[in-house]
Amino acid sequence: MLAIFKREIRSYFLSPVAYVFIGAFFILAGMFFMTGNILSGYPNINGTLSTMQLVLTFITPILTMKLLADERKTRTDQLLLTSPVSLTGIVMGKFLAALFVFFVTVLISLIYVVILFIFGSPSVAELINNYLGFFLVGMSFIAISIFASSVTDSQIIAAIVGFASILSLWIIDWVGGAFSNRIISDIVGWLSIMKRSEDFANGILKPASILYYISFSAVFIFLTIRVIDKRRWSEG
């Protein structure tokens, strides 16, 4: 797994992918931070991070679209599948590499926090909750997008499927609100990862929500492994 992780990290930073992702993130985040915090004098970054969750809907599939789709298209996946590394190790190595790029992006964005402390006194606890929730949402988006990359050999299709899948997570909140039946509405709300992020944005830390995001990501990693395993046996 470590070898796959290192290989993908090297691939990210030797190609434009990581730089496009990070650049797009900070161009938009800078605009939202300027209007939502600096110009308005708002001392917390929760509004900026909440808006950036929507931006992640568009740019996360770009980060992951080639991880498995390109391997399948160039047939290099056969070399991976016959290597000593387990299928779980392969998928986890790629997932952690994408997550690392996202983590570096989030780490750099802490410059916004420094600016907030220069001009005011934001709540440290709220900032930690805001960033933790944002990171967990991003992790879930990456897991979904890697699954999308596993079902096709086209990077473009992988990006579109990833985008559509993540967008559905926003739509599910609206769908839940459309039901008059309280039970159905509650079930849909429970399934929504976006609704759970509201607690983090409001400075509320719930261990159950952290476990939910980790479990959500684990489910899509498991599904990715099953898709590749099924294809390996069908092509073999």
Side-chain angles (χ1 to χ4, degrees), residues 21 25 49 52-57 59-61 63-64 95 98-103 106 130-146 166 169-170 193-194 197 213 216-217:
F21 176 83
F25 181 95
L49 293 181
M52 287 307 297
Q53 288 179 6
L54 180 59
V55 173
L56 289 180
T57 301
I59 65 176
T60 302
L63 183 65
T64 61
F95 169 76
L99 191 62
F100 178 78
V101 175
F102 178 60
F103 174 75
V106 172
N130 295 163
Y131 266 96
L132 177 59
F134 183 70
F135 181 78
L136 290 172
V137 169
M139 178 180 70
S140 301
F141 286 1
I142 289 171
I144 295 170
S145 298
I146 284 184
I166 296 173
L169 298 176
W170 293 85
I193 69 172
M194 306 313 303
S197 70
Y213 282 111
F216 187 94
S217 300

Side-chain angles (χ1 to χ4, degrees), residues 57-58 60-70 72 141-142 144-166:
T57 301
F58 297 90
T60 302
I62 296 174
L63 183 65
T64 61
M65 64 184 184
K66 68 170 291 185
L67 285 178
L68 292 167
D70 194 56
R72 184 178 176 185
F141 286 1
I142 289 171
I144 295 170
S145 298
I146 284 184
F147 172 71
S149 183
S150 72
V151 300
T152 179
D153 61 0
S154 168
Q155 294 186 40
I156 301 300
I157 295 177
I160 294 173
V161 172
F163 165 71
S165 300
I166 296 173

Side-chain angles (χ1 to χ4, degrees), residues 20 24 55 74 76 85 88-89 92 101 115 120 126 132-133 140 146 152 172 209 228:
V20 169
V55 173
T74 58
T76 54
V85 184
T88 300
M92 282 301 300
V101 175
I115 295 173
E126 286 189 11
L132 177 59
S140 301
I146 284 184
T152 179
I172 197 171
S209 294
I228 298 174

Side-chain angles (χ1 to χ4, degrees), residues 72-144:
R72 184 178 176 185
K73 182 177 182 179
T74 58
R75 307 298 293 178
T76 54
D77 61 331
Q78 298 303 315
L79 296 175
L80 281 177
L81 294 176
T82 55
S83 69
V85 184
S86 67
L87 195 54
T88 300
I90 292 171
V91 174
M92 282 301 300
K94 290 176 176 290
F95 169 76
L96 291 176
L99 191 62
F100 178 78
V101 175
F102 178 60
F103 174 75
V104 170
T105 306
V106 172
L107 203 61
I108 297 172
S109 74
L110 291 178
I111 187 65
Y112 299 139
V113 175
V114 174
I115 295 173
L116 288 178
F117 274 104
I118 291 175
F119 291 99
S121 302
S123 168
V124 175
E126 286 189 11
L127 286 171
I128 293 174
N129 279 346
N130 295 163
Y131 266 96
L132 177 59
F134 183 70
F135 181 78
L136 290 172
V137 169
M139 178 180 70
S140 301
F141 286 1
I142 289 171
I144 295 170

Side-chain angles (χ1 to χ4, degrees), residues 26 38 42 58 76 89 188 212:
F26 282 106
I38 300 300
Y42 186 61
F58 297 90
T76 54
V188 173
Y212 175 86

